[in-house]
Amino acid sequence: MNHAIRRYWPLFVLPTVLAFLIGFLAPFLMGLYLSFCQFTTVSDATFVGLDNYIRAFTDPSSNFLHAMWYTALFAFLSTAVVNLAGLTAAVCLTRNIRGRNLFRTVLFMPNLIGGIVLGWLWQVILGGVLARYGKTLVTSEWYGFFGLMLLTLWQQAGYMMIIYISGLNAIPEELTEAASIDGASPWQTFLRVKLPMLMPSITICTFLTLTNGFKLFDQNLALTNGAPSGRSELLALNIFNTFYGRIGWEGAGQAKAVIFFLIVTGIALLQLRLTSTREVQH
Amino acid sequence: MMKKILGVLVALLVAFGVFSIFAGADEATTAPAPSPAPSAPPAAAGKPAGSVYYLNFKPEQAQQWEALAREYTRETGVPVTVRTAASGTYEDTLRSEMEKPDAPTLFQVNGPVGLKTWKNFCLDLRDTALYANLKSDDFALIDDGQVLGIAYVIESYGLIYNKDLLAKAGYSADDITGFASLKRVAEDIQARREELGVLGAFTSSGMDSSSDWRFKTHLANLPVYYEYKQTGLSTSEAIQGLYLDQYKNIWDLYIHNATCEPGLIGAKTGDDASSEFILGEALFYQNGTWAYDELISGGMRDEQLGMLPIYIGAEGEENQGLCTGSENYWCINKRASQENIDATKAFLEWVITSDTGRDALANQMGFVTPFTTFDQDYTARNALLDDAQRYIAEGKQSVSWTFPTMPSDTWKDGVGAALLEYAQGTSDWENLRRAFVDGWAREYNAVNR
């Protein structure tokens, strides 16, 4: 068996490698090239150098810098809120309470609904609430911002909760028992024993929420579509609108996508480094 | 260590995932078109006759086009596929469809500005039946002596009004002859709205993307039209905004005499406005002849419907008619194979000359067409089209569609956003002036670099 795997491993890897090449690597390299080009359809491009990058940053109508800080703010805030909520729910639902599984299921379910549907759902709900006060989601970019936060929290907290629950369940009982014998309060046990043991889960969860925050697209599209005046546009939507919405700006949109890639990769790697050094092995 | 490597790999995978969304012709982001199953199977192998693929712009007529395509396939055996892009996504859909091996053979541009993008894809239509039967060159997009696009439907828009309700309020269309009288009537109705049992004089001016084109494009046509008229231009690199005060007149009238508070229009959709009108909650509804089917299927009757010119308070507007023009030009994809080009030409000839085709266009889709082949029996008629004809017969001057000369969609979006912010009170009219005037010059330069 082992022998067969050693011998035929390229065959087993082939489907994944092919999918990776066709689905990720080829479009990625093509996109990289296109970010230096002027084009209408992607197979018909002329090289223009750094022009697209300059336009992405300097043109006042490109809205890229605004989208950048708006997205960063959103990503970091939503990471904090979602993880706090997920962890709290996980701690509550690992106790022995009635209907534990029901609560877990209910909290997890929003994650099964697609982003566009969620966006429209929340648009109706929040729109209905705000209408009482003579406002709409697009009255200013901050209504859209908090709408998105609420939506993201609702959608992702349940998912993170599941990861935290499995992390909490994996903590060996002798550790918590030893802590209580030593006279640690529940709060101390949580901070000094459980939390360090949870670091691998925290790494994964913060990684997921942070990158999700940066990549958020369909919820943004459905909830506000960038209104008013593109000020509630997150990066992904901004790139999409530049690429598809503006004649002659396809290259600039592509350039933005390259920058976006660098930012997301950079932040994700940095975050992985920061949290994984705090992980404890036992 | 292993974990670290795994982490890096996961990070890369996720990031690649992000990136590939934007790396070109992918389906996920560009296929929101709710196109019902293609009406004919794609070109079957071994069929030398070629096939037709029409990327349709008008969702209102999607089903009629599919039925017509099926009929053609039944008669001739040539497969015709019709797909319809969802409202507001035509350019995106076209862009990704054009990448495919079996790209559309027949597509649409909206006018001179749209033509700029797709010029290299447009076949010269000079020797086609389509051009031979065209009433006038006014309906063709001609570039360097080449006929690159041909309009197939002439449409009009204005203020659609409910005759019954207007009569109930004690007025008739004859009382409205200019902006001053429109304002007087509308404000009177708004003040008496409870007595009349309506929610407002005008339907909500929704700024959701399903409705905002009625104001950022169609209503904005009027100030641009009057400026062109005054300066004698027909297209411009820079607009001065000479009629922006009048634009403000009509916008103020719309938002302050409507079914909802001005601050709420950001959440209102096109469906909101049409259902308010159908349910008799409002008397005036700015839209065009294309809305007829929706109003009738909603339960309105021909006798209830009429259309008024949109008066904004410009000089000489007592002679103004409806806004009439086209932003639907057929283009044949010259990069398609010769068989498919020939098949497409034959299909179009059939559409405008055969009884079935003419019946479908004129009587079922309700299109007023610019082709000589559409005689008495094939003239679309309904309450809104009749009003459009009446104004022309009375010698009123039709307002031409200038929006195909607007520099870009980004300009329209900027104007739309400024209209919304003005209505919400989060910005002033000066902001709109900047979006309109400065935005025009900026977008013109951005697009024509």
Side-chain angles (χ1 to χ4, degrees):
Chain A
M1 177 65 196
N2 242 335
H3 180 73
I5 290 180
R6 212 170 298 150
R7 195 156 158 201
Y8 291 110
W9 67 268
L11 201 67
F12 290 112
V13 177
L14 194 68
T16 319
V17 168
L18 270 184
F20 184 74
L21 284 178
I22 298 170
F24 295 132
L25 210 58
F28 174 75
L29 293 175
M30 197 167 150
L32 200 62
Y33 167 67
L34 284 173
S35 73
F36 298 101
C37 292
Q38 168 88 40
F39 60 96
T40 300
T41 58
V42 298
S43 50
D44 182 26
T46 46
F47 193 79
V48 293
L50 281 175
D51 197 42
N52 290 325
Y53 287 87
I54 296 167
R55 265 211 284 174
F57 279 106
T58 55
D59 195 283
S61 65
S62 108
N63 208 19
F64 191 47
L65 292 172
H66 180 279
M68 213 184 260
W69 68 255
Y70 190 80
T71 309
L73 187 66
F74 174 79
F76 287 111
L77 268 180
S78 68
T79 303
V81 173
V82 168
N83 283 291
L84 220 60
L87 186 57
T88 313
V91 170
C92 294
L93 295 179
T94 41
R95 293 167 165 225
N96 241 341
I97 52 169
R98 273 168 72 91
R100 200 167 71 167
N101 282 339
L102 180 76
F103 286 122
R104 288 184 185 178
T105 315
V106 167
L107 281 178
F108 180 73
M109 269 204 314
N111 197 60
L112 302 174
I113 308 173
I116 288 275
V117 180
L118 268 186
W120 281 329
L121 220 65
W122 279 92
Q123 190 187 45
V124 173
I125 298 172
L126 295 173
V129 173
L130 286 171
R132 288 184 60 92
Y133 307 98
K135 305 271 190 239
T136 66
L137 270 172
V138 298
T139 302
S140 91
E141 73 249 56
W142 299 112
Y143 290 96
F145 188 86
F146 288 108
L148 269 179
M149 286 286 282
L150 215 59
L151 194 165
T152 315
L153 176 66
W154 193 66
Q155 184 184 24
Q156 294 186 8
Y159 191 80
M160 301 308 147
M161 173 194 75
I162 298 290
I163 300 179
Y164 284 126
I165 285 177
S166 60
L168 284 169
N169 285 342
I171 297 175
E173 213 149 289
E174 55 261 36
L175 289 181
T176 43
E177 210 178 297
S180 67
I181 290 171
D182 287 343
S185 69
W187 184 239
Q188 281 173 323
T189 317
F190 177 73
L191 276 187
R192 302 285 166 87
V193 180
K194 288 185 178 169
L195 217 51
M197 295 300 292
L198 263 184
M199 273 325 281
S201 309
I202 294 177
T203 306
I204 293 179
C205 287
T206 43
F207 172 78
L208 283 175
T209 36
L210 197 64
T211 47
N212 279 347
F214 273 101
K215 294 186 312 182
L216 204 72
F217 175 76
D218 23 6
Q219 291 87 337
N220 191 200
L221 179 78
L223 198 70
T224 64
N225 197 10
S229 310
R231 287 206 309 270
S232 70
E233 230 174 27
L234 294 175
L235 272 177
L237 185 62
N238 178 268
I239 294 169
F240 176 80
N241 284 340
T242 314
F243 192 100
Y244 285 107
R246 302 202 64 181
I247 294 166
W249 280 65
E250 295 84 355
Q254 197 56 54
K256 287 180 183 183
V258 172
I259 299 165
F260 182 45
F261 163 77
L262 292 176
I263 293 175
V264 176
T265 318
I267 290 178
L269 287 177
L270 191 73
Q271 179 264 336
L272 273 182
R273 215 189 161 84
L274 282 177
T275 44
S276 58
T277 49
R278 292 171 168 271
E279 289 179 16
V280 278
Q281 310 286 342
H282 75 100
Chain B
M1 189 57 209
M2 197 57 204
K3 202 189 275 168
K4 211 173 234 174
I5 293 175
L6 258 173
V8 171
L9 267 180
V10 170
L12 278 174
L13 263 173
V14 172
F16 272 123
V18 181
F19 189 73
S20 59
I21 291 178
F22 303 104
D26 63 303
E27 296 298 281
T29 52
T30 54
S35 61
S39 50
K47 272 234 182 227
S51 63
V52 181
Y53 172 12
Y54 177 31
L55 189 62
N56 174 32
F57 176 82
K58 287 179 152 293
E60 305 94 44
Q61 276 82 20
Q63 278 157 9
Q64 282 117 326
W65 273 115
E66 278 155 24
L68 187 61
R70 266 195 302 277
E71 186 57 33
Y72 185 68
T73 308
R74 205 178 56 78
E75 277 185 26
T76 63
V78 177
V80 179
T81 309
V82 176
R83 272 196 68 193
T84 304
S87 176
T89 65
Y90 191 79
E91 278 290 310
D92 310 357
T93 312
L94 180 58
R95 207 163 284 206
S96 62
E97 288 296 299
M98 276 300 190
E99 285 297 331
K100 296 183 179 169
D102 33 346
T105 59
L106 179 61
F107 64 99
Q108 290 187 212
V109 299
N110 69 350
V113 172
L115 184 66
K116 258 181 229 156
T117 318
W118 296 106
K119 205 167 142 181
N120 296 333
F121 288 81
C122 296
L123 186 79
D124 186 359
L125 301 172
R126 195 170 283 279
D127 58 351
T128 57
L130 213 54
Y131 184 67
N133 289 310
L134 196 65
K135 279 179 187 161
S136 131
D137 274 356
D138 292 346
F139 304 112
L141 290 175
I142 299 180
D143 189 88
D144 279 343
Q146 291 189 309
V147 182
L148 297 181
I150 288 177
Y152 66 89
V153 53
I154 308 299
E155 296 169 303
S156 301
Y157 67 89
L159 273 181
I160 300 175
Y161 64 98
N162 185 324
K163 284 183 180 165
D164 291 354
L165 286 176
L166 198 62
K168 190 176 165 193
Y171 296 104
S172 80
D174 297 335
D175 296 324
I176 301 170
T177 54
F179 179 74
S181 47
L182 175 66
K183 186 175 160 77
R184 192 166 43 76
V185 170
E187 287 179 344
D188 179 48
I189 290 171
Q190 184 74 12
R192 296 192 291 136
R193 62 184 184 276
E194 278 174 25
E195 169 203 331
L196 294 168
V198 297
L199 294 177
F202 293 94
T203 55
S204 57
S205 301
M207 292 309 284
D208 176 83
S209 62
S210 59
S211 163
D212 63 352
W213 48 270
R214 295 192 290 138
F215 311 105
K216 69 181 185 187
T217 309
H218 285 184
L219 191 59
N221 181 54
L222 290 140
V224 176
Y225 165 80
Y226 276 107
E227 176 162 337
Y228 281 171
K229 200 173 161 188
Q230 185 175 332
T231 54
L233 298 170
S234 62
T235 174
S236 180
E237 296 175 22
I239 200 119
Q240 301 166 55
L242 300 175
Y243 285 87
L244 284 187
D245 291 342
Q246 284 81 354
Y247 194 31
K248 181 171 184 292
N249 283 344
I250 189 76
W251 184 238
D252 277 337
L253 193 69
Y254 278 2
I255 60 177
H256 291 297
N257 298 286
T259 52
C260 72
E261 289 299 310
L264 296 180
I265 61 173
K268 295 287 180 185
T269 64
D271 285 345
D272 285 333
S274 65
S275 60
E276 286 160 15
F277 187 72
I278 289 169
L279 295 174
E281 293 173 352
L283 285 81
F284 299 107
Y285 171 41
Q286 187 207 306
N287 213 333
T289 45
W290 54 86
Y292 176 80
D293 280 344
E294 193 185 2
L295 298 180
I296 293 298
S297 64
M300 298 194 81
R301 287 166 293 113
D302 253 37
E303 314 82 84
Q304 288 179 303
L305 294 172
M307 187 146 51
L308 282 164
I310 303 171
Y311 297 115
I312 62 169
E315 258 171 64
E317 69 179 2
E318 47 296 342
N319 280 322
Q320 179 192 317
L322 301 177
C323 304
T324 301
S326 184
E327 62 166 354
N328 290 277
Y329 293 86
W330 273 331
C331 303
I332 294 182
N333 181 1
K334 75 172 169 198
R335 302 191 182 185
S337 68
Q338 194 56 46
E339 304 89 75
N340 289 353
I341 288 178
D342 292 340
T344 307
K345 283 181 184 169
F347 172 66
L348 287 180
E349 178 166 3
W350 178 82
V351 166
I352 65 156
T353 56
S354 73
D355 290 346
T356 322
R358 288 185 296 174
D359 182 59
L361 250 62
N363 302 335
Q364 291 169 33
M365 302 187 203
F367 286 168
V368 176
T369 55
F371 303 112
T372 51
T373 49
F374 287 75
D375 46 28
Q376 281 300 320
D377 294 341
Y378 298 107
T379 304
R381 291 206 57 179
N382 65 45
L384 301 181
L385 294 173
D386 288 351
D387 262 11
Q389 280 307 314
R390 191 169 52 78
Y391 283 108
I392 294 171
E394 283 172 7
K396 299 280 166 92
Q397 173 113 48
S398 295
V399 174
S400 57
W401 287 16
T402 58
F403 43 84
T405 70
M406 289 171 182
S408 72
D409 280 348
T410 307
W411 180 82
K412 296 175 194 168
D413 292 344
V415 170
L419 285 174
L420 172 62
E421 294 208 45
Y422 172 75
Q424 289 178 167
T426 46
S427 186
D428 56 9
W429 195 253
E430 262 318 293
N431 182 43
L432 181 124
R433 188 176 289 278
R434 278 192 297 275
F436 204 96
V437 178
D438 305 347
W440 186 295
R442 194 176 61 228
E443 280 305 308
Y444 187 88
N445 289 329
V447 173
N448 295 289
R449 10 182 296 127

